[in-house]
Amino acid sequence: MTSVPTDRTTAPATDDAMGVDGPLLDVTDLRTTFRTPVGDVVAVDGVSFTLRRGETLGIVGESGSGKSMLARSVLRLVEQRNATVTGRVVLDGHDLATLSNRELRRRRGRVAAMIFQDPMTALNGTMRIGQQITESLREHLPMGRGERRAAAIDLLRSVGIPDAERHLRSYPHELSGGMRQRAMIAIALACGPKLLIADEPTTALDVTMQRQVLDLLDTEQRDRSMSMMLITHDLGVVAGRADRIMVMYAGRVVEHAPADRLFAAPRHPYTDGLLRSVPRVSDEPGRELATIPGSPRVVLDGAVGCPFAPRCDRAQPDCLDANPPLTPVDGTSEPDDLHDTRSLHEHACWYPLGTERGERALQANRAAGTTAAGLRLTDMTGSADTATEPTVSDTVARSAP
Amino acid sequence: MNPAVSRTLRRVPRLVLTLLAVSFCTFLLTNLLPGDPALTILGENASDEQIEALRADLRLDDPILVRYVAWLGDALTGDLGTSYRTGQSVTDAIIERLPVTLELGIVSLALSLIVAIPLGVWSAYRAGGLVDRFLTTASFGLMAVPGFMLALFLIIVFAVRLGWLPSTGWVRFSEDPVGNIRSVILPAIALGANEIAVFMRVLRSDMLTTLNQDSITMARAKGLSAGRILTFHALRPSSLSLVTIIGVQIGAIIGGSVIIETMFALPGVGRLLIDSIAERDLVTVQGLALVIGVSVIVVNFITDSIYGFIDPRIRDGRNA
Amino acid sequence: MAEMLDVAADQPVTSATADAPAEVIARRRRRWRVTTVLSVGWLVLTVFAALAADLLPLIDPNLVDAKNALQPPSADHWLGTDGLGRDQFSRIVHGAQVSVLVSVSAVAVGMLVGGMLGLLAGYVRGRVEGAILAVSDVVLAFPGLVLLLVLLAYIGRSLFAIAVIVGILSIPLYARVARANTLSVTEREFVRAATVLGADRSRIVFREILPNIILPLTAYGFVALGKVIVLEGSLAFLGLSVQPPDPTWGQMIADSKRHLSDTIWPAIGPSVAMFLTVLSLSLVGDRMRHRIDARAEAM
Ligand SMILES: Nc1ncnc2c1ncn2[C@@H]1O[C@H](COP(=O)(O)OP(=O)(O)O)[C@@H](O)[C@H]1O
Ligand code: SF4
Ligand SMILES: [Mg+2]
């Protein structure tokens, strides 16, 4: 597990004293909807979380669960005409909603930066790497031409690009996949952001490259005592790297816990399903990976019931009637400090794992052979309990795509 | 070698072949017509001596290929023949009139790009908005106004009613720069208005694609200003189709200049073509056809080559 | 060991979810737009005017009445009179004949021959395709109007010559559209399957490919009709359209230029007629293209 640096003297000084004490990022009830002819598509549904300085928050969910929209909504980057974003985002002591466009722009890239899944599409293919770094520097920092160039070379070196001076003049397509991803990281880190949002930073890479890039992100984060939102569809990626993990489904947070707790004792059936689909080093060869039946769906505004119900092996009639709210697991909330969520474990499920009520629901469905939502259960092998073994090892093996 | 240069060189053989084919077709124009070409060229009331002289001049007794090679050789050395109507060298006649057409074409292309690029960018940037919807509608309307019709109404408003600009005639830049600009404005607008709609639509649609890409979100996440994002991160990657279409539209502009030059009585190449056709001055017509055909091919070749310099990915042979 | 769950095929969708991807949801509903209705209406009117011009109770379009030249619109002359006192309205209605005749025959020639050649090029490929493409490249190297003028200079002008030459000159354009669409159709599963199963070649061409390239060709043809109408106008300005006194819209607009310092009325009627016709054609063509695109997406 990544050690979280508590010493913040190395962090870039803030111009705002109150910013230093509070959490770096405080998101409350963030909600992003798209107006469409058939109704409002809810891409992000009332998400709240806080991120402390230097902390890594893993955000996990299948494709389409709203992770990217969440990331974009946080930085107010959702620009579609049919989109509405509501909720409060406080970044480094400033409520983004109260900032002018100009002030908002000053924070993007400078206070918070973002990297994307595929550098081939996220980088500007018609601009040299060096220019893509220096344009941020020019925008945000009082640097001369020569200083910017020197800074760009340092950045490329620090992300492990050999022959940095030459590569300043390279175009993205002239680099290999791994190098491109490193270049994108260098571009994002140019102005020394306090928050890095990494949206599936390794999904486009092969296994070895993935490790290298994740390690690079780790190193940079530690060196700069930066906070990070690490977004992935693959629990294996955040294992050992995230301090806390938020599991998203259909735009909602369905489970939120310290990483080790989440891996050891998941409460939400969806988290459990995701965990079972991650291969582990301890696996005996030939172990079949479980898959979650069905696929995620678009959620429309005003829908009732638990969005996971059609795919859930515990679904009961009341799951179809009411959407379970995010509730703390007993004994994990610390009401005396609202922002200290270090040990908080929340889940949104009426029949969670590890509760008598939940296991009864599962047994009942098994006995009936079907769930309240009509999902047919075929019990092939033994019980589910063995799957929740405590750790996903630090050395993460990846399933072939 | 610079990849863009070598990519250009690779396409030269094909260019040469097309040019040869076009020149051969042009050559055939006067030679495939039924009857005696000399008679066709000189007209019914030419004297026998004139016809004999022309027959010798055209080497009509040689096989057609021999004649083609001789004609092409002459053309390559800048000799497009002599008009039998005016006695002037066709090359000289063209060179004398070329500056007018060139200025008209360049000014109209520049004007339409200056208008079309910001409009196209804005309408993609605010797609679906009021301005965008207005521009989309307006572009359909603009496309439905032929150049000659627009020319007519420009003359009505700015020359006849307001009297601000001349409705006919050409003033050389060397004689009177202001007068020259005044004489080129209306013709250039009439010639380029259609292109505004064409360029705007092409740019808008490419920009829409680009603006939806991660690279734009990335640029915004870097805190860049909208202006910088639009010009450096959106416009440049979106200009490939625009460049192609400019090349394609050069032909339309040359064709349009024939009408516009006639309407505004400008002494350009297009006007020369019309006059030669009216007088059945076929030698001049043939020379003009060759020059125009070759120019269009060469311009298209050049715009295709510019591709490689705009997008380094294409330059290096990806998605080419 | 993991438990396997099996999803029943007819799994009911709970009210919490809608089973449609966002793209499908976001796609615009198809409907007849007002502009499309108006465009089609105008085109029908134009064709009707062309067909029925001689039957309608109109003033003789060539009746010269020098005393009443350059009249503004009035009860006698709805759109006024031209420089020779001829009735503008009647001339516009009769002028539709030329526009419709020239444009339809030119487009028919280009579309039939070009469509066939393009289909051939796209289906047979190989040398045939190479030859067709090479020839069309050469033809397209010349600006259409220039080539048309040159050919008219050699061949002489008549309505027939204009229509045929324009038709022939546009063959490469249709051939390109047809070829591109043929290529994309032959790539589709069902045509491949039919080919592999040894279906009759002519059956593939006529039953599978032809129906799929006719729509795009027609959409293109609509826009091309407008271009031919404009072309006739351009020729009129150059004094190369059909011989007077028979009215054409282009001829009328060109004539009006002579009287600009006196009155602009003669310019307005034919200009509006031509503008509306060209606009309607391009709107209808554009609408068709959108429908084809939507259909292709749905496949
Ligand atoms: N422009 C849009 N219109 C309608 N729905 C959209 C739009 N963009 C995204 N969505 C919806 O938002 C949801 C979340 O997408 P996204 O954040 O990209 O998921 P993830 O990053 O987790 O794969 C998707 O289900 C999608 O349907
Ligand atoms: S048990 Fe009910 S509430 Fe919990 S995830 Fe399944 S369907 Fe949703
Ligand atoms: Mg995503």
Side-chain angles (χ1 to χ4, degrees):
Chain A
M1 179 117 322
T2 314
S3 67
V4 182
T6 43
D7 174 7
R8 272 177 220 121
T9 51
T10 54
T14 7
D15 39 15
D16 188 307
M18 98 166 234
V20 183
D21 301 326
L24 178 65
L25 179 67
D26 190 2
V27 174
T28 318
D29 202 20
L30 194 60
R31 190 176 150 86
T32 303
T33 54
F34 292 96
R35 218 169 344 95
T36 72
V38 297
D40 288 359
V41 172
V42 187
V44 178
D45 194 357
V47 172
S48 305
F49 64 93
T50 53
L51 187 58
R52 282 169 298 120
R53 286 156 203 279
E55 189 186 27
T56 300
L57 174 67
I59 299 176
V60 183
E62 285 164 300
S63 158
S65 53
K67 308 180 298 293
S68 297
M69 288 321 305
L70 171 65
R72 281 158 207 232
S73 305
V74 165
L75 290 188
R76 295 259 181 264
L77 287 172
V78 182
E79 216 187 24
Q80 282 93 331
R81 285 182 61 81
N82 62 337
T84 316
V85 182
T86 58
R88 210 170 106 94
V89 177
V90 179
L91 175 63
D92 205 17
H94 293 276
D95 183 346
L96 295 189
T98 66
L99 295 181
S100 70
N101 257 340
R102 198 186 178 77
E103 289 170 318
L104 189 59
R105 243 184 349 114
R106 257 183 45 210
R107 280 167 179 79
R108 291 191 192 132
R110 177 97 170 83
V111 181
M114 193 161 168
I115 59 176
F116 297 81
Q117 170 172 340
D118 182 3
M120 204 58 195
T121 59
L123 295 182
N124 183 343
T126 63
M127 212 189 249
R128 297 176 199 279
I129 299 290
Q131 213 191 335
Q132 298 192 47
I133 297 179
T134 52
E135 69 172 350
S136 306
L137 295 173
R138 205 177 71 169
E139 188 76 40
H140 296 293
L141 303 174
M143 280 183 165
R145 225 184 142 77
E147 284 174 291
R148 291 201 294 262
R149 196 184 131 82
I153 293 175
D154 283 350
L155 273 161
L156 286 184
R157 289 216 181 100
S158 87
V159 297
I161 291 184
D163 208 355
E165 265 167 71
R166 190 168 62 82
H167 281 307
L168 278 185
R169 295 191 52 78
S170 296
Y171 287 101
H173 74 274
E174 293 168 342
L175 303 177
S176 67
M179 285 300 142
R180 271 203 290 272
Q181 192 59 282
R182 285 169 193 269
M184 175 149 72
I185 292 172
I187 292 170
L189 295 182
C191 299
K194 299 173 188 174
L195 166 66
L196 180 67
I197 302 181
D199 190 357
E200 310 250 10
T202 58
T203 307
L205 300 175
D206 67 44
V207 183
T208 15
M209 280 300 159
Q210 275 201 351
R211 271 214 65 142
Q212 290 178 10
V213 168
L214 288 172
D215 288 346
L216 169 67
L217 284 174
D218 259 358
T219 317
E220 292 287 351
Q221 182 194 16
R222 205 163 321 141
D223 293 351
R224 298 160 179 269
S225 38
M226 199 166 58
S227 307
M228 184 152 76
M229 280 167 68
L230 182 56
I231 296 174
T232 173
H233 63 273
D234 179 358
L235 267 172
V237 165
V238 286
R241 300 186 195 270
D243 302 304
R244 281 181 300 127
I245 294 175
M246 243 165 53
V247 179
M248 286 187 72
Y249 187 80
R252 300 175 196 189
V253 176
V254 293
E255 184 155 14
H256 176 193
D260 44 5
R261 247 196 99 96
L262 187 98
F263 285 116
R267 289 299 175 117
H268 199 281
Y270 180 62
T271 313
D272 185 46
L274 286 179
L275 272 171
R276 291 170 190 227
S277 55
V278 179
R280 292 156 220 193
V281 175
S282 58
D283 281 350
E284 50 209 81
R287 167 187 176 254
E288 246 187 292
L289 288 178
T291 51
I292 306 172
S295 55
R297 284 148 191 237
V298 172
V299 177
L300 295 182
D301 197 16
V304 287
C306 172
F308 188 59
R311 307 172 66 190
C312 178
D313 55 2
R314 292 164 189 253
Q316 298 298 309
D318 43 340
C319 298
L320 304 180
D321 295 335
N323 185 25
L326 199 58
T327 41
V329 174
D330 286 345
T332 63
S333 74
E334 293 173 25
D336 46 306
D337 181 357
L338 277 176
H339 290 310
D340 193 352
T341 49
R342 254 169 287 206
S343 58
L344 181 64
H345 184 174
E346 308 167 286
H347 63 77
C349 176
W350 297 125
Y351 300 95
L353 275 78
T355 62
E356 199 191 318
R357 186 179 150 73
E359 300 318 315
R360 266 210 312 273
L362 181 60
Q363 295 310 330
N365 281 347
R366 284 219 178 110
T370 177
T371 71
L375 179 70
R376 215 152 36 113
L377 302 180
T378 324
D379 198 353
M380 302 279 290
T381 46
S383 80
D385 307 20
T386 52
T388 51
E389 53 191 276
T391 54
V392 173
S393 159
D394 250 352
T395 34
V396 176
R398 280 262 301 144
S399 57
Chain B
M1 198 186 339
N2 184 327
V5 175
S6 61
R7 176 178 176 271
T8 306
L9 290 181
R10 272 201 308 278
R11 294 168 49 246
V12 167
R14 201 192 151 97
L15 170 72
V16 173
L17 273 180
T18 320
L19 287 175
L20 281 178
V22 165
S23 69
F24 191 64
C25 292
T26 315
F27 169 76
L28 286 184
L29 277 177
T30 42
N31 289 278
L32 275 193
L33 289 176
D36 186 341
L39 198 63
T40 316
I41 289 173
L42 290 177
E44 296 298 334
N45 28 13
S47 70
D48 284 353
E49 297 89 73
Q50 280 177 310
I51 292 183
E52 256 339 285
L54 182 57
R55 285 193 65 87
D57 206 23
L58 292 176
R59 301 183 224 211
L60 285 183
D61 298 321
D62 289 343
I64 194 158
L65 267 180
V66 174
R67 270 156 46 203
Y68 169 63
V69 172
W71 176 80
L72 186 63
D74 284 349
L76 285 177
T77 56
D79 176 9
L80 292 171
T82 306
S83 161
Y84 294 92
R85 300 283 174 197
T86 62
Q88 196 187 13
S89 138
V90 173
T91 314
D92 288 349
I94 294 177
I95 287 177
E96 191 186 308
R97 285 147 181 269
L98 201 57
V100 177
T101 305
L102 228 48
E103 183 181 338
L104 177 61
I106 290 172
V107 171
S108 89
L109 188 61
L111 277 182
S112 38
L113 284 174
I114 287 172
V115 178
I117 289 177
L119 292 185
V121 168
W122 187 260
S123 105
Y125 179 52
R126 291 275 176 256
L130 213 62
V131 176
D132 178 41
R133 276 179 298 172
F134 171 76
L135 287 176
T136 306
T137 315
S139 76
F140 268 101
L142 201 55
M143 299 260 264
V145 180
F148 62 81
M149 200 188 284
L150 184 61
L152 190 71
F153 283 95
L154 286 175
I155 290 175
I156 291 177
V157 175
F158 292 99
V160 177
R161 294 284 138 131
L162 298 172
W164 290 352
L165 295 164
S167 68
T168 51
W170 181 257
V171 180
R172 277 197 213 150
F173 190 81
S174 52
E175 284 169 12
D176 173 8
V178 177
N180 171 267
I181 292 170
R182 280 164 49 87
S183 63
V184 80
I185 290 182
L186 291 185
I189 294 176
L191 185 56
N194 267 302
E195 317 303 324
I196 293 180
V198 175
F199 296 155
M200 200 177 78
R201 280 205 216 168
V202 167
L203 183 59
R204 175 184 181 275
S205 109
D206 275 21
M207 279 283 281
L208 274 183
T209 314
T210 310
L211 285 174
N212 273 320
Q213 282 167 359
D214 278 353
S215 63
I216 297 300
T217 314
M218 172 103 187
R220 295 177 61 224
K222 282 159 81 174
L224 305 177
S225 66
R228 188 171 171 92
I229 293 173
L230 288 177
T231 43
F232 287 86
H233 295 271
L235 182 57
R236 189 167 169 185
S238 313
S239 48
L240 289 183
S241 307
L242 184 64
V243 170
T244 315
I245 216 77
I246 291 175
V248 172
Q249 293 300 109
I250 295 287
I253 290 177
I254 293 180
S257 72
V258 173
I259 298 156
I260 298 301
E261 285 174 13
T262 307
M263 285 199 69
F264 288 90
L266 307 181
V269 173
R271 184 69 191 281
L272 179 63
L273 179 69
I274 288 301
D275 291 347
S276 314
I277 288 173
E279 291 163 23
R280 292 186 65 76
D281 182 354
L282 297 190
V283 178
T284 307
V285 171
Q286 191 180 35
L288 278 169
L290 183 68
V291 169
I292 292 174
V294 167
S295 320
V296 171
I297 295 171
V298 171
V299 167
N300 269 311
F301 180 81
I302 293 172
T303 48
D304 268 5
S305 310
I306 290 177
Y307 251 54
F309 294 92
I310 294 180
D311 194 326
R313 282 165 295 190
I314 288 181
R315 184 180 73 198
D316 293 0
R318 305 189 184 207
N319 350 311
Chain C
M1 280 287 126
E3 179 189 62
M4 296 287 286
L5 298 172
D6 190 12
V7 188
D10 56 346
Q11 168 192 338
V13 179
T14 64
S15 56
T17 56
D19 196 8
E23 298 82 60
V24 175
I25 294 169
R27 192 181 298 150
R28 286 249 183 91
R29 271 167 300 177
R30 298 182 203 158
R31 63 197 146 89
W32 277 76
R33 299 181 168 193
V34 185
T35 48
T36 316
V37 174
L38 291 177
S39 303
V40 172
W42 176 261
L43 293 177
V44 170
L45 199 67
T46 307
V47 173
F48 173 76
L51 293 178
D54 293 325
L55 306 175
L56 294 172
L58 293 168
I59 305 172
D60 178 355
N62 293 329
L63 183 72
V64 175
D65 178 5
K67 265 176 284 169
N68 285 319
L70 300 178
Q71 295 288 310
S74 66
D76 288 343
H77 302 287
W78 294 352
L79 293 176
T81 58
D82 70 0
L84 295 175
R86 294 175 294 196
D87 181 61
Q88 283 281 92
F89 182 74
S90 171
R91 288 181 71 76
I92 288 174
V93 174
H94 280 85
Q97 283 180 324
V98 173
S99 293
V100 171
L101 197 66
V102 174
S103 60
V104 170
S105 36
V107 167
V109 170
M111 200 146 107
L112 278 179
V113 183
M116 282 303 162
L117 287 176
L119 202 162
L120 200 66
Y123 188 65
V124 179
R125 312 297 305 268
R127 293 235 174 127
V128 177
E129 183 180 31
I132 292 175
L133 288 182
V135 171
S136 70
D137 271 358
V138 173
V139 175
L140 290 176
F142 290 100
L145 182 65
V146 171
L147 198 47
L148 174 66
L149 291 176
V150 171
L151 289 176
L152 284 178
Y154 284 94
I155 295 171
R157 56 184 156 127
S158 69
L159 214 55
F160 180 74
I162 294 174
V164 171
I165 296 177
V166 171
I168 291 175
L169 293 185
S170 59
I171 287 174
L173 296 171
Y174 297 98
R176 285 190 170 187
V177 176
R179 174 178 163 271
N181 282 287
T182 305
L183 286 181
S184 76
V185 174
T186 45
E187 289 304 304
R188 286 195 203 141
E189 285 306 317
F190 65 94
V191 178
R192 281 207 184 157
T195 313
V196 170
L197 293 174
D200 186 11
R201 282 189 139 206
S202 66
R203 201 192 132 85
I204 293 180
V205 168
F206 288 106
R207 299 288 289 273
E208 316 285 10
I209 300 180
L210 205 56
N212 277 295
I213 66 170
I214 279 182
L215 264 177
L217 269 182
T218 314
Y220 185 78
F222 267 100
V223 181
L225 286 170
K227 293 195 169 163
V228 180
I229 291 175
V230 169
L231 203 57
E232 185 277 323
S234 306
L235 289 178
F237 260 91
L238 301 172
L240 291 173
S241 183
V242 295
Q243 305 284 356
D246 286 336
T248 77
W249 293 346
Q251 200 78 262
M252 294 172 71
I253 300 173
D255 281 346
S256 75
K257 186 168 184 257
R258 241 177 289 159
H259 312 293
L260 278 191
S261 42
D262 300 327
T263 172
I264 60 164
W265 278 113
I268 294 194
S271 294
V272 169
M274 186 181 283
F275 171 77
L276 288 181
T277 309
V278 176
L279 182 64
S280 304
L281 287 168
S282 72
L283 285 174
V284 171
D286 184 68
R287 213 57 226 131
M288 272 180 91
R289 240 193 28 212
H290 274 295
R291 294 228 166 167
I292 296 165
D293 288 351
R295 247 176 40 140
E297 251 172 57
M299 291 191 91

